Amino acid sequence: MMNDTYITLVGNVTADPRQYDCNDGSRVTSLRLASTRRVFDRSSQTWHDGETTFYAVRCYRSLADNVARSIKLGQPIVVHGRLRIRSYDRDGERRFTAEVEATSVGHDLRRGVSTFQRPQRGPASPAFDQTAHSSDSGDARDAGGAADPFLGAGAVAPADAIAAVRAEQASAAGVPWAAQASSEPLAA
């Protein structure tokens, strides 16, 4: 909408994300974010923490699944989305809470490192796959092939076989293979 207010927040996750199923079959993931303002004191030439603001963050559709798989308690993240101010009554008193309908969520790479993995999509893919969350130091690609998302964790398939599968999927979806190949490299 034209009058929506978009904001970008940087902060820490205060609780593990919770995922809910809606009546229409879609998923929603919610989490709490604590954002602490940093203030520079000119007299002492030092930085110190200002006040902390807490936000409820809601994620929908594929972002909800990816956040549930990737984000954990205490991690520093960056959230971009639409700001909503919700009001409610508690103990006869009207209260307000800030909520963000996220359009993007990611780890704050100023404070650590992260890796990126495309999720397996399709009717047979589970919403949350524990094997995709494991952090094995030995990658299947070290064995000379590319990790095969269709065979499961640790399975190896030659890059040509993966290219053939991707070409078949692209033609079934009506996407020219050259367009898909330019946006998705076969091996890292």
Side-chain angles (χ1 to χ4, degrees):
M1 300 190 105
M2 289 181 62
N3 294 328
D4 284 343
T5 302
Y6 283 83
I7 63 170
T8 300
L9 301 170
V10 177
N12 291 323
V13 179
T14 62
D16 279 323
R18 294 181 316 253
Q19 192 168 45
Y20 305 97
D21 290 323
C22 295
N23 293 336
D24 64 356
S26 63
R27 288 188 194 83
V28 177
T29 299
S30 65
L31 59 93
R32 298 271 299 161
L33 177 73
S35 182
T36 302
R37 202 170 71 116
R38 296 286 292 166
V39 180
F40 184 72
D41 183 3
R42 289 181 189 237
S43 62
S44 66
Q45 297 292 306
T46 59
W47 288 91
H48 60 85
D49 289 342
E51 67 180 67
T52 300
T53 306
F54 293 89
Y55 297 88
V57 177
R58 304 251 187 265
C59 307
Y60 298 93
R61 295 171 285 287
S62 63
L63 179 61
D65 292 337
N66 294 340
V67 165
R69 293 179 66 182
S70 304
I71 304 298
K72 299 292 177 219
L73 168 69
Q75 292 180 337
I77 62 171
V78 179
V79 175
H80 179 75
R82 287 183 283 282
L83 177 64
R84 304 275 191 238
I85 304 298
R86 305 274 185 213
S87 64
Y88 61 96
D89 291 322
R90 181 180 283 173
D91 302 329
E93 189 177 315
R94 189 167 199 70
R95 296 183 183 207
F96 298 91
T97 184
E99 181 177 295
V100 178
E101 184 180 318
T103 56
S104 296
V105 176
H107 289 108
D108 184 356
L109 298 180
R110 290 179 306 149
R111 306 207 14 232
V113 296
S114 184
T115 59
F116 180 79
Q117 177 183 355
R118 289 188 187 275
Q120 180 180 347
R121 301 279 189 220
S125 67
F128 185 78
D129 181 14
Q130 284 294 87
T131 59
H133 224 352
S134 66
S135 58
D136 295 334
S137 60
D139 194 343
R141 282 175 265 155
D142 295 338
D148 186 0
F150 301 106
L151 298 176
V156 177
D160 292 339
I162 293 175
V165 170
R166 287 186 180 166
E168 184 179 345
Q169 289 175 337
S171 65
V175 176
W177 170 244
Q180 185 186 17
S182 64
S183 65
E184 287 187 7
L186 289 177

